[in-house]
Structure formats: structure tokens, C-alpha cells
Amino acid sequence: MGKLENYTDAEWEVVCSTPQLVGVAMAGAGSSGLIGSTKEMFASARSLMSAGKEHSANTLVQSILPDTRDPKKAMADAKAQRNIVMGRLKASGVKSSKELQTFILQDCEKAVQILEAKESPETVAGYKEMILDMAEKVANAAKEGDFLGFGGERFSTGEQELFAQLKNKLDS
């Protein structure tokens, strides 16, 4: 992860933490239990890693993701990213899933405004695509409301509502 030169620290924190926060918010939008939540968090991480391949020509996306070519650097990048995410959550005073959803929807709007002022439409489109793809993968990673693996739904009502709101914020 490396901050691009044309961003202030505050702008970069919004842009680089929004994808991870979307994954956390989407995982919290349903009630999938411990195992389901674990699956959703792994889906979020896998989605970010696959975004590196899918958006290999997008300098912005590449700058947000940990550099996996060097394990030590990747760990340092991941730790720095975690510190940014946790710092932003702590500073915002988020204490519930609903508060997190409100926070992340505002962040999506801020991130898009920042990016549209500094990046090409193609770069911004790739960023938005990465976020929506991750949100969808997290939502589909585990069933909500099942009992011992029976019943439940893959993309719960709460996840569908949050996804629709994310899509609306990112498409506007």
C-alpha cells in the first residue's frame, strides 16, 4: 500500500479504508453467526486480493492493496491499512452495525468525490467496481438465519438493502 502523491493524508485515509470498511459493514448487515462471519471476512480479504489481478492496470487500486510480492512488505502494508481503518472507526465513534452502515455510506460518497476530482473516469470506475464486487462476494459468502446448515438465505434482506444503498452512492 502506498499513498499516491496527489492526495492529502486525510483524503488517502478515506479512499484506502473505504473498501475494507465496506466489507466489514456488509458482513455486519446480516446475522450469519461466528462461522458465517468468519467466511464473510475471508471473502472480503480474498476479494481484495483478486482485485489486484482484475484491476492490474489501475494504479489507484494497486496502491490501496498490499504488495503481495514481498511477504514482509505485505504484512507491513496490511498492518498500516488496519491501523487506518481502526483509527477511523475509533475517531467516528461507531458502536453499532447501523452506525457503521451510515458511516460507510458517507465514506463512499466522500471517496467518490475525492477520486472524481483527481483521477480519470476509468480509474474511478475500477474503484467503484472493486467495492461493489467485494460487497456482493461478502454477502454471498455465508447464509443468514440458517440452523445447522439448513434453511437461511445467501444474500439476506439486510445485505440487499445495504448493497442497494452502496450501489446508489457509488453510481450517483
Side-chain angles (χ1 to χ4, degrees):
M1 181 185 86
K3 181 181 150 226
L4 296 178
E5 295 170 6
N6 57 335
Y7 292 88
T8 66
D9 288 343
E11 289 171 336
W12 187 248
E13 286 184 3
V14 171
V15 169
C16 79
S17 65
T18 296
Q20 282 191 336
L21 286 167
V22 165
V24 172
M26 188 58 76
S31 55
S32 55
L34 179 61
I35 293 172
S37 294
T38 302
K39 288 179 180 179
E40 289 172 336
M41 295 317 295
F42 276 113
S44 178
R46 278 191 312 271
S47 178
L48 284 175
M49 292 301 104
S50 69
K53 293 175 187 155
E54 294 167 18
H55 301 280
S56 60
N58 189 320
T59 306
L60 172 71
V61 171
Q62 295 303 314
S63 296
I64 291 170
L65 302 174
D67 183 356
T68 56
R69 294 171 291 177
D70 177 359
K72 285 184 180 179
K73 181 159 178 12
M75 288 301 290
D77 287 351
K79 186 176 181 180
Q81 183 78 345
R82 183 186 179 284
N83 288 341
I84 291 170
V85 169
M86 296 308 289
R88 294 197 66 241
L89 284 176
K90 193 174 200 176
S92 72
V94 169
K95 296 195 184 338
S96 72
S97 177
K98 281 292 180 199
E99 288 175 353
L100 177 59
Q101 289 177 25
T102 300
F103 179 76
I104 194 56
L105 290 168
Q106 292 168 348
D107 259 18
C108 281
E109 196 168 23
K110 285 181 204 172
V112 169
Q113 288 171 352
I114 292 166
L115 294 174
E116 286 178 340
K118 297 179 181 276
E119 300 290 347
S120 70
E122 296 81 18
T123 298
V124 177
Y127 179 84
K128 292 176 180 182
E129 183 182 313
M130 173 185 69
I131 289 175
L132 289 174
D133 182 56
M134 181 182 53
E136 190 170 11
K137 286 178 180 173
V138 170
N140 283 308
K143 289 184 180 179
E144 323 299 327
D146 68 333
F147 179 73
L148 299 175
F150 298 99
E153 56 186 334
R154 190 60 72 178
F155 203 143
S156 72
T157 303
E159 291 167 335
Q160 289 174 24
E161 289 171 4
L162 179 56
F163 187 79
Q165 291 173 327
L166 284 167
K167 194 165 173 39
N168 184 44
K169 289 287 181 189
L170 293 170
D171 287 344
S172 58

